[in-house]
Amino acid sequence: MITAESVPQLRRGVRLSFDHVRETHVLLFPEGVLVSNTTAAAVLELCDGVRPVSAITAVLEKRFSGVRADDVLDVLSRLGERRVVAWT
């Protein structure tokens, strides 16, 4: 169960990159490529293996209006299901 105190990080071999051709962020991993939307890219940039979800949410609240902790948890949960995010 992912909580506000869970600490996400990109799994080994996973990298967030900007694709200049598509003009969007992509998540590169051994099994393929995932084109991420702006919201997911903002969350993934903060998944450093040090910050808990609550700190990631706090940073995003300063950058964007209307950020909800449940939405951040939902994005991270879906990325965890895709096996691109791990929890420490």
Side-chain angles (χ1 to χ4, degrees), residues 1 3 17 19 24 29 33 38 55-56 59 61 63 70 88:
M1 173 89 179
T3 70
S17 182
D19 184 329
T24 190
F29 53 101
V33 176
T38 305
I56 291 170
V59 170
E61 286 173 337
R63 272 196 226 166
D70 288 343
T88 60

Side-chain angles (χ1 to χ4, degrees), residues 6-82:
S6 299
V7 179
Q9 68 181 21
L10 296 180
R11 285 190 178 273
R12 186 174 178 205
V14 176
R15 184 171 53 100
L16 181 64
S17 182
F18 188 80
D19 184 329
H20 293 283
V21 174
R22 294 182 181 128
E23 296 185 358
T24 190
H25 283 92
V26 293
L27 198 58
L28 307 172
F29 53 101
E31 295 84 20
V33 176
L34 178 66
V35 177
S36 63
N37 62 28
T38 305
T39 303
V43 172
L44 287 165
E45 288 175 332
L46 299 170
C47 292
D48 57 9
V50 176
R51 287 180 248 223
V53 174
S54 58
I56 291 170
T57 302
V59 170
L60 294 172
E61 286 173 337
K62 291 177 184 173
R63 272 196 226 166
F64 307 103
S65 63
V67 173
R68 294 183 21 210
D70 288 343
D71 294 337
V72 175
L73 284 168
D74 182 54
V75 167
L76 287 168
S77 177
R78 284 185 280 133
L79 291 167
E81 290 171 3
R82 299 284 308 255

